[in-house]
Amino acid sequence: MSDDGRYHDGHEQTPSRRRTRFPGISSRAYEHPADRSALVALRKLSGFDTVFKALSGLLPERSLRLLFLSDSVRVSDEQFAHLNGMLRDACYILDLEKVPPMYVNQDPQPNAMCIGLDEPVIVVTTGLVELLDEEEMRAVVGHEVGHALSGHSVYRTILLFLTSLAVRVAWIPLGNIAIMAIVTALREWFRKSELSADRAGLLVGQDLRASMRGLMKIAGGNHLHEMNVDAFLRQAEEYESAGDLRDSVLKILNVLPRTHPFTTVRAAELKKWAESRDYQRIVDGHYPRRSEDKDTSVSDSFRESAAHYADHVKNSKDPLMKLVTDLAGGAGDLGDRVRRGFSGFTGSAPPKDAKGGEGGGEKGGATGGPEGESGTPPRDER
């Protein structure tokens, strides 16, 4: 993009309504600490991208591009012009010089993705286009442009390739354990990268309520008159704090197969970030620039990530996280608390006190054990 607000194809680009622009912004400004530390480390590996881009012929990327070109609708001034305007707005606000191609794919499931090694490609489904209003959709487009700016499409494709390669050697003794460790770590990073992209969507749309509504619609469908953002956010708080240790374990088991965090969690995380000093500093124009990326310290990024996780554990209302905090603090009744918390898994009764009655601790919060509670993990959304 040139300094006068023109793209190299000659199109003029200004936002459709007054919003703050972030010239030269680095993706580090909005990336979740865990996402940022991984990306900084990968960017420091000289030649890493080049090697895998040279091997792109081994990946189905070219086939996917041809598939979208032949069986989807490419967004342009002539087709889905309102989406094209949103895309250019998003690239202008985040100062992304090259506008990625964008396609609309016929699929009733609301979804969007950003893929590609050589260059990112954004795909949105008709289900998503029909579900969201203009400002909600603007946040989604900003979300995908955030993926492109962060380089998530490149690194995701690379890591998926490595994971696929690892699966082929699963016959090696203990191979399944090693592969599951890789996949679990990969999905954890995916989930954090989605939180990063949600933040980018907010920077583009600059309308927190619209971002909240979009996530709420993805969870509950196009029934906005039947839903309430504040009540939706209270669900996230209840999800985090309710239950006992059994529920904490079930949460972990439910989220492990997913590449995206649950929608209520995403909404709560985005609201928390929007109310933070970090977000306000970006809006005020104080943010890291891309020109400084090469000087970023890997060790500093990892320290920030570790500090974030430590702070999350310390302030979490989740029963398991509280137990971890108490362990660190040297609490003395942890043995009894653990037995009470997990008694429902074995069907054992709570421990008796000295008078023969039940102990005054927590009672089991669910019945039927994990088989009747975890169920099939819900599908991932955008």
Side-chain angles (χ1 to χ4, degrees), residues 131-193:
L131 177 66
L132 305 181
D133 67 23
E134 181 176 355
E135 291 305 309
E136 295 158 5
M137 193 68 199
R138 189 184 304 280
V140 170
V141 173
H143 175 109
E144 299 306 327
V145 170
H147 277 314
L149 181 58
S150 287
H152 288 151
S153 61
V154 173
Y155 297 114
R156 284 183 170 203
T157 307
I158 289 171
L159 289 175
L160 284 171
F161 173 72
L162 292 174
T163 304
S164 174
L165 193 63
V167 170
R168 298 176 189 176
V169 296
W171 54 270
I172 296 176
L174 301 180
N176 284 336
I177 296 176
I179 290 168
M180 284 308 300
I182 294 172
V183 170
T184 299
L186 179 60
R187 285 175 176 160
E188 169 65 7
W189 174 54
F190 275 12
R191 290 190 289 271
K192 294 303 183 286
S193 74

Side-chain angles (χ1 to χ4, degrees), residues 75 90 124 254:
V75 171
V124 297
N254 283 341

Side-chain angles (χ1 to χ4, degrees), residues 101-122:
M102 182 174 177
Y103 292 89
V104 176
N105 180 250
Q106 171 62 32
D107 187 340
Q109 299 292 343
N111 206 351
M113 60 181 173
C114 182
I115 60 170
L117 275 175
D118 294 325
E119 63 179 25
V121 174
I122 296 172

Side-chain angles (χ1 to χ4, degrees), residues 198-235:
D198 283 343
R199 296 174 178 184
L202 178 59
L203 290 176
V204 167
Q206 297 172 26
D207 185 345
L208 180 61
R209 300 295 287 188
S211 295
M212 295 290 105
R213 291 197 311 268
L215 289 168
M216 191 166 59
K217 283 184 176 181
I218 288 172
N222 193 14
H223 303 281
L224 197 58
H225 63 288
E226 298 282 355
M227 296 185 285
N228 179 277
V229 170
D230 294 328
F232 187 65
L233 290 170
R234 285 197 295 272
Q235 287 181 226

